Amino acid sequence: AFLRARRQKWREDATNLDETRLRARIRRRLLPLLEKQFQPATVVHLAKLAELAREDEAVLDALVEERFARLVERKEGGAKIRVADLLEPWGAGDFTAKCMEKKEGFVALSKRLVRRIVKQLKSRTGQISSGHVEAVLELARQGQSGKRLILPGDVEVRRELDALSFLSAACDTAERKTQPSRGGSRNNSGLTSVYEYEVMLGSGGAVVRVPWLGCAFRLRVIDWPREARETKLEGVALDRDRLRSPLVLRNWRPGDAYRPAGHSRPHKLKRMFLEKRVSRWERESWPVLTSGGSIVWARGFPVAAEYAPTPQTQAGLVIAEVRD
């Protein structure tokens, strides 16, 4: 009726008659056999089952999208999820968990979450099989930090402490090779850094936005109080007069080291990350402030001892992180 209304001719796909293809054999041999010898309404029943399956699939897809939005931390070319959230995507406080007392309910959602994450990151075609999905879940259940696996579509999965990081290998490589950083500096391997911003301090300071992190850093110049109780600082502080140009906010790089205030010798940031349980996924974009090429501050750690305020400090530089 549809074609007749538009005065168009019916066209048969030639492959529908090619019985070397499984779908053609099912249509031309199996279904007629089932209708003749078992159930005349076989096709009707199968169509109804397919309709019910589509409805169930729509509900499951909606559940997965909600969990994906809530549990998965995303950045360009990567995603991260806590192992506990992946293995039990419905927390104990969720009313839905009471309806999913059987572990099969969690496993089904966990598998779909894995497929949803990989789907977003795949840079090329590649079939994700049930075996691949199970390997990811096994990495979550039993894997040690540092272990990884590669999935079809150039997606790398890493176990990092209590989380799984999913990285698009092709995207990660391409970005590092082609994306210019602000300031255009390159590291020893010849790859451009993820980000690098030269900070131009005005009379009151500066605000540096880092889209890669989804936040901004406010650097504020203040008159240093003679007594600590005279003011309450929101952030960490450096001695402004000890800083030298250029002042640069950039991501962490392998080999970075400095002497934190309160310590007698320099420490590599990599070691400090391990002590603080910072995952590899987070380290790659961890913010660091340098002065004249020397590290003076790294997020979450003490400032460099040589640049920490002293009783002789006249002006301070206060660094505070704000969500952009």
Side-chain angles (χ1 to χ4, degrees):
F2 179 84
L3 292 176
R4 284 197 298 270
R6 288 161 178 75
R7 297 182 180 180
Q8 293 183 8
K9 293 182 179 181
W10 170 267
R11 293 185 61 184
E12 180 76 28
D13 185 346
T15 61
N16 288 341
L17 304 177
D18 182 3
E19 293 191 8
T20 62
R21 299 174 183 270
L22 178 61
R23 59 183 171 83
R25 293 200 301 276
I26 291 174
R27 288 172 180 166
R28 296 175 62 82
R29 295 185 185 181
L30 180 59
L31 290 180
L33 178 66
L34 292 174
E35 288 177 319
K36 183 177 180 179
Q37 297 188 12
F38 295 92
Q39 171 56 262
T42 294
V43 174
V44 174
H45 291 327
L46 288 176
K48 184 61 178 177
L49 284 174
E51 182 181 351
L52 293 173
R54 280 195 298 271
E55 293 171 354
D56 290 346
E57 185 76 8
V59 173
L60 287 172
D61 283 346
L63 290 176
V64 170
E65 287 300 321
E66 191 277 335
R67 292 288 93 182
F68 179 81
R70 177 178 293 192
L71 303 178
V72 179
E73 181 182 346
R74 285 156 284 170
K75 70 174 184 179
E76 189 172 357
K80 179 181 179 182
I81 185 170
R82 292 176 61 247
V83 166
D85 289 337
L86 178 61
L87 297 181
E88 294 191 4
W90 296 105
D94 283 304
F95 76 92
T96 315
K98 299 177 182 178
C99 304
M100 300 179 67
E101 295 178 355
K102 294 184 178 180
K103 287 292 183 181
E104 289 81 356
F106 285 131
V107 173
L109 275 177
S110 297
K111 290 179 177 179
R112 286 174 176 266
L113 263 177
V114 170
R115 291 182 180 276
R116 176 64 180 85
I117 295 171
V118 173
K119 178 183 177 182
Q120 176 167 300
L121 298 177
K122 284 174 62 176
S123 60
R124 62 177 178 80
T125 58
Q127 183 65 38
I128 303 298
S129 68
S130 59
H132 294 126
V133 174
E134 185 57 38
V136 173
L137 294 180
E138 188 62 22
L139 184 63
R141 297 187 196 103
Q142 307 291 342
Q144 296 179 343
S145 184
K147 286 192 174 182
R148 63 179 185 171
L149 56 89
I150 303 295
L151 301 178
D154 283 338
V155 175
E156 178 182 335
V157 187
R158 301 175 186 170
R159 175 66 187 264
E160 298 185 342
L161 301 177
D162 60 351
L164 286 188
S165 292
F166 295 73
L167 300 171
S168 174
C171 178
D172 183 62
T173 301
E175 280 192 2
R176 290 177 180 272
K177 288 183 178 179
T178 63
Q179 290 292 328
S181 60
R182 183 173 294 188
S185 69
R186 292 177 177 266
N187 58 26
N188 293 333
S189 65
L191 304 181
T192 56
S193 58
V194 176
Y195 62 85
E196 182 175 301
Y197 301 90
E198 184 170 354
V199 182
M200 308 301 292
L201 289 177
S203 57
V207 175
V208 181
R209 289 181 171 81
V210 185
W212 186 273
L213 298 176
C215 68
F217 294 91
R218 181 179 293 117
L219 291 80
R220 186 163 54 96
V221 179
I222 65 170
D223 292 330
W224 194 250
R226 293 185 178 181
E227 299 291 338
R229 63 176 179 270
E230 290 183 12
T231 186
K232 183 178 180 180
L233 299 178
E234 293 184 0
V236 297
L238 298 163
D239 188 321
R240 170 67 181 89
D241 296 327
R242 297 188 182 190
L243 299 174
R244 297 292 179 266
S245 296
L247 198 61
V248 174
L249 181 71
R250 62 167 173 81
N251 63 290
W252 166 79
R253 297 170 185 169
D256 278 347
Y258 75 104
R259 182 167 71 91
H263 294 259
S264 60
R265 64 183 66 182
H267 293 282
K268 283 194 172 183
L269 267 172
K270 182 178 180 180
R271 170 188 165 185
M272 296 162 69
F273 287 149
L274 291 172
E275 293 174 349
K276 196 178 177 67
R277 295 178 64 83
V278 176
S279 71
R280 292 184 185 179
W281 190 79
E282 294 172 299
R283 295 175 205 171
E284 294 177 356
S285 56
W286 200 265
V288 168
L289 184 70
T290 66
S291 170
S294 299
I295 294 177
V296 298
W297 169 84
R299 183 173 66 181
F301 299 104
V303 300
E306 298 85 349
Y307 299 87
T310 68
Q312 290 73 43
T313 297
Q314 300 294 314
L317 180 67
V318 179
I319 306 171
E321 180 177 347
V322 294
R323 303 313 297 177
D324 202 7

